Amino acid sequence: MSAPDRKFETRRCVAMFWYDHQNMNGWGYAGMGIGMVLFWGLIIAAIVVLIRLSVRSDQPPRPTTGPSAAEQLLAQRFARGDIDEREYADRLTTLRTHSANL
């Protein structure tokens, strides 16, 4: 056998080994499948994180200027007549003092 023939034979043997999966059992295929899902999951998660970081504003959120939900509920109860003016004023004062402490 000449030198070029041995070189061809070596390449052929490597190529056959590369494409020959007779020794791979079900666990090998399961590992490849799980690995592929994990790989693409990590790629997608990285893209989502990068997008969220680039879109996020560095400014703090603006405080709400309107009344809180509790104050709105209290005003609705007062409007329906469930509570009188004194109770409304007392509860409103209590709500505002507790929300200022937070």
Side-chain angles (χ1 to χ4, degrees):
M1 198 178 229
S2 66
D5 290 336
R6 278 186 271 162
K7 190 175 183 180
F8 175 73
E9 192 66 31
T10 303
R11 284 186 186 167
R12 183 174 171 208
C13 187
V14 169
M16 287 176 62
F17 178 72
W18 182 258
Y19 293 107
D20 183 26
H21 296 294
Q22 291 177 357
N23 295 332
M24 186 178 286
N25 57 14
W27 288 109
Y29 287 113
M32 284 193 314
I34 292 169
M36 181 182 63
V37 169
L38 287 175
F39 172 78
W40 286 110
L42 288 173
I43 294 294
I44 291 170
I47 290 171
V48 168
V49 167
L50 288 174
I51 289 173
R52 284 191 172 189
L53 287 176
S54 66
V55 172
R56 186 189 319 174
S57 175
D58 292 334
Q59 300 173 356
R62 286 184 263 155
T64 57
T65 57
S68 67
E71 289 179 12
Q72 289 177 352
L73 182 63
L74 187 62
Q76 289 173 358
R77 289 185 61 199
F78 179 64
R80 282 194 309 255
D82 294 343
I83 56 176
D84 61 353
E85 185 177 355
R86 179 177 167 83
E87 188 176 358
Y88 173 75
D90 291 342
R91 290 183 184 218
L92 187 60
T93 304
T94 304
L95 278 174
R96 291 189 176 162
T97 56
H98 285 305
S99 66
N101 292 337
L102 297 178

